[in-house]
């Protein structure tokens, strides 16, 4: 066995296990921004004492993924509101245009796939899981703008979605009611594709859909 193999095979400490367990749930959206990390609950889940959990949270705090406030405790760090707003505003413009460009030549099977994804989103509403809903929502949008014939516009849209993923945020986690509105707005957009609506109508509908999500987020942050 090489030295490298020996290092890689070294068992993780309880603190490392807790760190990776919590970080994985932050990364996949299970623990969304603002989620309170209760040491006792996490320790019970992992079958350890609260000491390694506390050590793991301190490490995550040093990395900027967790914040600690007096009388509140440890929470998953909130998103940068300014960055989120700018990303959503930009994405509203470029994704709306991408969808409008894609619409005239959108294959029937692609539209059917989008309808199927929105049906899955609708089914999620009864047993709501923000992380699953967010993933399906991302798939729905990518199907519709994915056939955009302008590669530069498509690159800008993908860059916006990747930036949102880096911000680790989902308005659906904060305001579950937005999910119901979003599904209906998806249906309205699909109806526009179905009846071959003018590109301008499709562009505006997609843009307003994105901006409504932003306004919902801002209303939640500033009630």
């Amino acid at each position: 066995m090489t030295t490298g193999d020996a290092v890689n095979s070294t068992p993780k400490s309880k603190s490392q296990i807790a760190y990776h367990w919590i970080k994985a749930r932050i990364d996949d959206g299970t623990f969304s921004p603002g989620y309170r990390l209760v040491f006792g609950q996490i320790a019970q889940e992992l079958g350890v004492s609260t000491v390694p959990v506390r050590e793991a949270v301190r490490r995550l705090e040093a990395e900027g993924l967790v914040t600690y406030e007096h009388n509140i405790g440890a929470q998953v760090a909130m998103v940068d509101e300014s960055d989120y707003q700018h990303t959503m505003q930009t994405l509203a413009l470029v994704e709306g245009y991408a969808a409008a460009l894609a619409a005239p030549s959108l294959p029937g099977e692609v539209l059917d796939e989008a309808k199927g994804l929105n049906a899955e989103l609708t089914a999620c509403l009864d047993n709501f899981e923000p992380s699953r809903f967010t993933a399906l929502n991302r798939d729905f949008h990518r199907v519709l703008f994915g056939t955009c014939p302008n590669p530069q516009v498509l690159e800008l849209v993908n860059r916006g979605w990747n930036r949102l993923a880096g911000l680790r945020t989902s308005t659906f986690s904060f305001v579950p009611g937005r999910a119901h509105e979003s599904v209906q707005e998806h249906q309205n957009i699909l109806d526009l594709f179905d009846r071959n609506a003018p590109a301008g109508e499709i562009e505006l509908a997609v843009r307003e859909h994105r901006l409504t999500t932003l306004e919902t987020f801002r209303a939640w942050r500033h009630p």
Side-chain angles (χ1 to χ4, degrees), residues 28-44:
D28 69 13
T30 301
F31 293 169
S32 58
Y35 183 90
R36 187 167 173 239
L37 299 170
V38 181
F39 294 170
Q41 290 179 355
I42 295 173
Q44 185 176 12

Side-chain angles (χ1 to χ4, degrees), residues 95 98-99 102-103 106-118 136-148 154 158 161 190 193:
E95 186 177 347
L106 190 75
E109 60 270 21
V110 173
L111 185 57
D112 288 341
E113 184 180 357
K115 291 177 180 178
L117 286 166
N118 204 42
L136 286 170
N137 180 67
R138 183 168 55 245
D139 290 342
F140 172 86
H141 283 268
R142 283 180 173 164
V143 165
L144 286 185
F145 69 69
T147 59
C148 172
L154 191 57
N158 283 320
W161 274 96
L190 290 171
F193 275 89

Side-chain angles (χ1 to χ4, degrees), residues 9-31:
S9 63
T10 302
K12 290 186 176 69
S13 69
K14 291 179 180 179
S15 175
Q16 288 175 315
I17 292 171
Y19 167 82
H20 289 293
W21 188 88
I22 297 169
K23 187 175 186 298
R25 281 151 183 76
I26 293 175
D27 288 342
D28 69 13
T30 301
F31 293 169

Side-chain angles (χ1 to χ4, degrees), residues 136-220:
L136 286 170
N137 180 67
R138 183 168 55 245
D139 290 342
F140 172 86
H141 283 268
R142 283 180 173 164
V143 165
L144 286 185
F145 69 69
T147 59
C148 172
N150 186 318
Q152 294 184 32
V153 172
L154 191 57
E155 180 184 358
L156 290 173
V157 180
N158 283 320
R159 188 183 303 171
W161 274 96
N162 290 338
R163 191 169 186 82
L164 282 182
L167 289 170
R168 299 174 292 101
T169 187
S170 168
T171 302
F172 307 121
S173 299
F174 313 131
V175 192
R178 174 59 187 149
H180 291 262
E181 299 171 352
S182 186
V183 166
Q184 184 55 58
E185 290 165 16
H186 287 174
Q187 187 56 55
N188 294 340
I189 292 169
L190 290 171
D191 290 343
L192 292 176
F193 275 89
D194 255 339
R195 64 180 177 84
N196 297 315
E201 283 188 44
I202 292 174
E203 180 176 357
L204 183 60
V206 174
R207 183 189 307 167
E208 289 184 344
H209 170 61
R210 176 69 52 207
L211 292 176
T212 300
T213 298
L214 172 59
E215 289 307 311
T216 301
F217 173 82
R218 293 174 67 182
W220 171 79

